[in-house]
Amino acid sequence: MQSKATLEEIVATLPASYREAMRETAATKPTGEVVKGYDFNQGVDYDKLFASYSSCGIQATNMARAIEEINKMIKWRLSDEPVAANEAEELKSEEKRKQVRCTIFLGYTSNMISCGIREIIRYLCQHKMVDCIVTTTGGIEEDIMKCMADTYIGDFKLSGAELRKQRLNRTGNMIVPNDNYNIFEDWAFNLFSEMYQEQKTKGTIFTPSMIIDRLGKEINNPESVYYWCHVNKIPVFCPALTDGDIGDVLYLFLEKYSDFIVNIAADRHKIDNIARFARRSGVIILGGGVIKHHICNANLIRDGTDYAVYINTGVEYDASDAGATPDEAVSWGKISLEAKPVKIYCEASLVFPLIVAQTFVKNQKLASKLN
């Protein structure tokens, strides 16, 4: 009877290169967290479930780190830092230092307002949990439109040609009837007429952020994100204001009133100063493109933001700003060398409500700047 060979005996007969590559013991043991998921045998405890994301791996771990990063933004106070020798006299007292908080920039693309994330963003603005917003034109007009008419769930596979015949516009798997735009355009045109009269009679030159504030004021509807931005004095920037239906309205308006002026340079100065004078800065960016770059570029003036969370599906191999990783932003000075930025590779509507629940909602008293 042939004797059984051990694994080691068989390995010994193989080339040394194999033995070195496959069988050598690791020189050091990893020091990181052990990979482990949630055990549903203990029932459903959502706090413990989300805490388990930290040790789950893949994007769940990034989500846990994003939650941690945002909670740092919420909890930071100037009183956490030692008093510098050159500190302003009024900021040397402990009580005053406790009142100085992290300036939080929130950026999002228009699809976040098209979908139900709008209500999550509205909550943040209603309770003044963010200090500055950057979005696209669609992210402005669709919020106002939803106060006038509804957007509907459709399907990603609906025929574009058939929808066009019915004057139904598809945004992913959501449907926006053309009538919604008609209602908005009539309303916005009248507002531009009022602003034009102010320009002519008072010399007021409107910036995009002033226009957005006026939209929020005049819609006067607590369902609106920008109503709450107006009420709570949260500046909203839209560097590409003409790239959407507002641009269509402005095109028609300038056909008659060609001397109407919108000053976009003043908004650049304003957002840069918000970053410049922030004692601590944090950025939360849903999506990519102009909103991502505008926020990061503003933080360049202060040698980078202190906290950063990106949520998008962009990849960096095409060298686009949308796909650029936080580490690339570090190379430009847009994120601080000391920061621990996080990117979640994910479509934001999947995770942002959960992140807000575990950060701003869970720490509502600390997060709100109304108190």
Side-chain angles (χ1 to χ4, degrees):
M1 182 177 176
Q2 190 175 12
S3 62
K4 292 182 179 178
T6 66
L7 177 60
E8 289 304 320
E9 288 172 338
I10 295 171
V11 169
T13 67
L14 298 174
S17 59
Y18 174 87
R19 297 198 300 273
E20 291 171 6
M22 303 299 291
R23 297 292 294 174
E24 280 196 359
T25 304
T28 57
K29 187 177 180 180
T31 57
E33 203 171 356
V34 174
V35 174
K36 189 175 183 181
Y38 185 77
D39 182 2
F40 279 105
N41 285 308
Q42 63 183 311
V44 179
D45 182 320
Y46 286 104
D47 280 341
K48 288 182 180 178
L49 173 62
F50 290 127
S52 77
Y53 276 33
S54 176
S55 62
C56 184
I58 316 180
Q59 294 307 308
T61 294
N62 284 350
M63 178 170 156
R65 289 176 179 169
I67 289 169
E68 182 181 357
E69 195 75 356
I70 292 171
N71 278 328
K72 287 178 185 175
M73 300 181 203
I74 291 169
K75 294 175 182 178
W76 184 87
R77 301 292 185 271
L78 185 58
S79 54
D80 299 337
E81 310 294 327
V83 179
N86 62 346
E87 184 64 273
E89 199 61 41
E90 66 270 18
L91 289 177
K92 286 184 177 178
S93 79
E94 182 79 0
E95 208 50 48
K96 287 287 185 184
R97 294 175 74 78
K98 284 180 180 178
Q99 295 170 23
V100 179
R101 301 164 66 169
C102 179
T103 299
I104 299 178
F105 294 79
L106 174 65
Y108 49 86
T109 44
S110 65
N111 53 342
M112 294 295 99
I113 294 294
S114 304
C115 74
I117 297 301
R118 175 200 185 218
E119 280 63 37
I120 310 296
I121 294 169
R122 184 190 67 201
Y123 168 85
L124 297 176
C125 298
Q126 180 180 355
H127 297 281
K128 201 173 184 180
M129 294 174 169
V130 296
D131 300 281
C132 173
I133 287 174
V134 179
T135 188
T136 57
T137 314
I140 304 299
E141 60 207 22
E142 291 201 36
D143 172 72
I144 303 298
M145 261 186 253
K146 282 185 170 183
C147 296
M148 304 170 174
D150 294 323
T151 297
Y152 300 89
I153 294 294
D155 194 286
F156 284 102
K157 296 179 181 178
L158 292 173
S159 164
E162 289 304 313
L163 289 172
R164 184 60 186 157
K165 292 173 187 175
Q166 299 172 63
R167 296 300 184 262
L168 299 174
N169 306 289
R170 182 172 68 83
T171 301
N173 61 350
M174 297 168 287
I175 300 297
V176 187
N178 225 49
D179 288 347
N180 295 23
Y181 289 93
N182 297 334
I183 296 166
F184 172 78
E185 287 165 6
D186 291 341
W187 182 82
F189 191 93
N190 290 332
L191 272 187
F192 279 119
S193 297
E194 292 176 15
M195 287 184 266
Y196 177 68
Q197 287 306 312
E198 287 184 40
Q199 179 187 306
K200 300 303 286 183
T201 59
K202 300 178 181 178
T204 305
I205 302 298
F206 284 86
T207 64
S209 65
M210 290 169 66
I211 291 171
I212 295 161
D213 181 70
R214 179 64 66 86
L215 296 176
K217 177 186 176 183
E218 296 300 330
I219 196 63
N220 195 28
N221 187 327
E223 292 184 2
S224 164
V225 170
Y226 306 110
Y227 165 80
W228 288 109
C229 289
H230 169 72
V231 168
N232 291 326
K233 296 180 171 54
I234 300 168
V236 181
F237 298 97
C238 184
L241 186 69
T242 57
D243 187 28
D245 200 38
I246 290 174
D248 296 339
V249 175
L250 280 169
Y251 167 78
L252 296 170
F253 192 78
L254 265 66
E255 285 286 291
K256 177 72 173 175
Y257 308 104
S258 60
D259 57 338
F260 181 61
I261 299 168
V262 178
N263 182 356
I264 129 179
D267 266 0
R268 170 62 192 269
H269 187 259
K270 185 176 179 179
I271 191 173
D272 280 14
N273 273 345
I274 291 172
R276 177 185 172 189
F277 295 112
R279 294 302 295 262
R280 204 77 164 181
S281 166
V283 309
I284 303 167
I285 303 175
L286 316 180
V290 68
I291 58 107
K292 178 171 177 276
H293 186 267
H294 205 62
I295 289 175
C296 291
N297 199 65
N299 278 273
L300 180 63
I301 201 168
R302 64 187 313 279
D303 203 23
T305 184
D306 301 288
Y307 310 105
V309 171
Y310 294 175
I311 307 174
N312 66 56
T313 57
V315 291
E316 65 173 335
Y317 67 78
D318 58 2
S320 67
D321 182 76
T325 63
D327 191 58
E328 184 175 308
V330 172
S331 79
W332 287 90
K334 297 171 183 175
I335 295 178
S336 165
L337 291 169
E338 288 74 39
K340 295 180 180 177
V342 182
K343 173 170 176 173
I344 307 173
Y345 287 84
C346 181
E347 191 275 297
S349 73
L350 282 169
V351 296
F352 193 58
L354 304 178
I355 290 171
V356 169
Q358 291 298 106
T359 54
F360 293 101
V361 178
K362 200 170 185 179
N363 297 295
Q364 184 175 15
K365 287 186 178 179
L366 286 172
S368 175
K369 292 177 181 175
L370 293 175
N371 44 40

